[in-house]
Amino acid sequence: MAVSFGYFAPRLEFEQFPSKDGDNIQVDVSFPAGTPFKEKKEVFVKVQDKLVQLPHFQSFYTFGNIIWATFTQPIDREDNMTIFEIEEQYDQKLDEVRAEISEDIVITPQASSYGPPLDQFDIVVNFLGTDKEALTKAVDDLELFLQNKEGIEEIQNGPRQLLVPAIEVNLNQDKLAKKGVNSLAAASTINAIFAPQNIGSMIIRENGLSDEVIINFSTESTDSVDDLKNLLVPSNTGGLVKLSEVADIDQVENPVSTRRLKNKRVATVSLALTEGTDRAAFDKEIKDYLSEEKLLSLGLPKDGVSYGGEFSAFETDFSNLQIVFVLAILAVYLILVWQFYSYMQPALIMVAIPLALIGVFPGLLLVGSTLNMISGLGVIALIGIVVNDAIVLIATYNRYKEEHPEDNTLERLVRAGHTRFKPIFSTSITTIGGILPLTILDPFWTGLGTSIIAGLVFSTIGTLIAMPMLYSIIVSAYKKIARRKSSNNPSSGQIESVN
């Protein structure tokens, strides 16, 4: 057990889902806020042109800013090329596209093997609050804290990503009254510059059908602050007044949208870490930095931060898996207590679980699998499977205790082991045979199948060899204690009445 937990377990890699060869590549194209549709279309065409040139390509579809590409199944690729090698080749082709477009446009291909798609960023920090300035201050403060840290591939400042250039026009009521300009007339004039205006209809077709006449100002006119300042606004007296005389006009940056979570504004800092970086240590360092005192100093509430990203999902899933593991053990133990009317025998039966775990870690290492959600589910399934053999053995021992009261504990254990060897061995073999095809043929379930098979092999051996020895040792030790008590108290009971 010490070898398995101390030598094999630390050598296993942790991941959320198995990184096995698949048939999909997901391409995320991130644009700065306010990017024109025409520019987005041009980028997508270039990205898609490189995509269709890849080996084993079959089809793709686009949804939002994400492209999903499908390739031939791994088993049908004669050159044994993996989806990860295809992704690497595609990433090199995309360097040509990146050189032609803006640096603010980020193209990220990601090979999708099995399981749900992973988050684009390893760690995501969400600041929650109602004060916009406090949120911006918190994001900038964390970005400054992370700026010189090693192991960071990319930092994305959420509020800054959402900013777009804008022109802010604030009508001055005093100036409007002084110049005799109606605020509604001024607002309508400004709106006419930026929105298409329907000025009527014309009949130019031979069939007599009319067409609407719509006026649009050129982009050069709407983007010029000076032109906007010189815009003429009608006054109540019939004259014309420059807009700059009745309004304050400034060129600013405003967010294109506002994100909310739990009815509060959200400002996000997203981190992509380099390969090999300790994500757990990085996550802990950020959480230690963003203490309650730090949040209060930034003008945010004590609970004004939440965490997301791939590592957070991984951590949450494994925490839930550990809770389920403990609950499963308790449930099995309570059922066994009810069945055997004993506390000691169910505890002994539960020894089959650590015996099974001895085989899980070297088994996963042997087949090149990792400790992930799927192999974790196999470990949980083991709890209900491996105790079956021990239940059969102990139940047979209890029956022989009644049928052969003249035998001692060791003789009953040998008799029970001899009688139940074939049923226990056959049960394990049939279970392994049933799970083996799934383990071999589907890489997604390899970890689950390996956990069950390797754990079952070791628990079967432990049930037939280690468990009788342990039971005999426990009974012998209890008898010695009972004899010592009986020497002082002749009325004390025997071991057979309590086990």
Side-chain angles (χ1 to χ4, degrees), residues 365-429:
L365 206 60
L366 182 65
V367 300
S369 186
T370 60
L371 196 57
N372 51 63
M373 285 293 295
I374 304 304
S375 57
L377 291 175
V379 172
I380 293 175
L382 271 176
I383 296 173
I385 296 174
V386 298
V387 296
N388 292 336
D389 292 342
I391 290 172
V392 170
L393 183 67
I394 298 302
T396 304
Y397 170 83
N398 290 341
R399 180 162 61 85
Y400 285 154
K401 186 168 64 175
E402 296 177 359
E403 295 177 358
H404 304 278
E406 71 281 359
D407 292 348
N408 58 35
T409 301
L410 186 58
E411 289 173 338
R412 294 190 199 111
L413 287 170
V414 171
R415 190 190 297 270
H418 182 267
T419 305
R420 290 300 173 186
F421 175 80
K422 286 185 178 179
I424 290 174
F425 188 74
S426 300
T427 301
S428 300
I429 290 296

Side-chain angles (χ1 to χ4, degrees), residues 83-354:
I83 195 68
F84 303 102
E85 293 171 336
I86 297 174
E87 178 210 349
E88 184 177 355
Q89 182 176 333
Y90 182 43
D91 198 36
Q92 293 174 356
K93 289 179 176 291
L94 287 176
D95 286 338
E96 302 174 12
V97 178
R98 295 184 181 106
E100 300 173 358
I101 62 177
S102 169
E103 295 180 356
D104 296 328
I105 300 175
V106 181
I107 306 173
T108 308
Q110 183 181 40
S112 303
S113 52
Y114 292 89
L118 301 177
D119 198 292
Q120 181 182 353
F121 294 96
D122 295 290
I123 299 174
V124 176
V125 182
N126 298 308
F127 292 104
L128 311 176
T130 55
D131 189 337
K132 182 180 175 182
E133 293 183 0
L135 291 172
T136 304
K137 179 182 177 182
V139 169
D140 292 340
D141 181 83
L142 180 59
E143 186 178 17
L144 183 63
F145 172 73
L146 298 170
Q147 201 166 26
N148 298 321
K149 298 286 182 183
E150 295 183 359
I152 299 178
E153 184 176 343
E154 179 187 356
I155 301 179
Q156 190 175 95
N157 185 313
R160 194 178 301 148
Q161 291 289 118
L162 294 173
L163 292 178
V164 293
I167 297 175
E168 190 173 76
V169 179
N170 294 312
L171 297 174
N172 189 306
Q173 296 299 324
D174 294 335
K175 292 180 179 180
L176 287 170
K178 185 177 180 180
K179 294 292 183 179
V181 177
N182 183 279
S183 59
L184 182 59
S188 299
T189 304
I190 297 169
N191 185 60
I193 298 296
F194 292 96
Q197 298 296 311
N198 187 334
I199 63 172
S201 61
M202 295 179 60
I203 299 176
I204 57 175
R205 303 189 191 188
E206 293 181 359
N207 57 10
L209 294 176
S210 63
D211 294 295
E212 293 182 345
V213 179
I214 297 175
I215 295 179
N216 276 308
F217 284 82
S218 65
T219 305
E220 290 77 11
S221 299
T222 57
D223 287 348
S224 173
V225 177
D226 291 334
D227 287 346
L228 190 60
K229 288 181 178 180
N230 294 325
L231 179 67
L232 298 177
V233 180
S235 67
N236 296 332
T237 58
L240 296 174
V241 178
K242 288 185 178 181
L243 182 62
S244 59
E245 296 178 11
V246 295
D248 299 321
I249 304 171
D250 298 303
Q251 197 162 4
V252 296
E253 287 186 326
N254 288 328
V256 69
S257 63
T258 302
R259 289 186 57 212
R260 290 188 175 274
L261 181 67
K262 300 177 182 178
N263 296 322
K264 295 181 179 179
R265 286 178 176 266
V266 179
T268 301
V269 177
S270 305
L271 301 177
L273 305 180
T274 56
E275 189 174 351
T277 301
D278 190 342
R279 297 186 298 174
F282 224 103
D283 182 72
K284 184 178 184 303
E285 187 175 359
I286 292 175
K287 289 179 178 178
D288 290 342
Y289 178 73
L290 296 175
S291 61
E292 292 184 356
E293 293 76 12
K294 182 64 177 178
L295 293 174
L296 290 174
S297 68
L298 293 171
L300 297 176
K302 293 181 179 180
D303 58 346
V305 65
S306 66
Y307 299 91
E310 183 180 338
F311 178 75
S312 179
F314 169 84
E315 192 177 39
T316 301
D317 288 342
F318 268 84
S319 297
N320 293 336
L321 206 62
Q322 291 170 6
I323 293 172
V324 172
F325 182 79
V326 174
L327 292 176
I329 289 177
L330 290 175
V332 170
Y333 179 74
L334 292 175
I335 292 172
L336 292 176
V337 169
W338 172 77
Q339 181 180 354
F340 285 93
Y341 297 100
S342 168
Y343 293 105
M344 190 269 284
Q345 287 188 344
L348 186 66
I349 292 172
M350 299 298 287
V351 172
I353 297 173

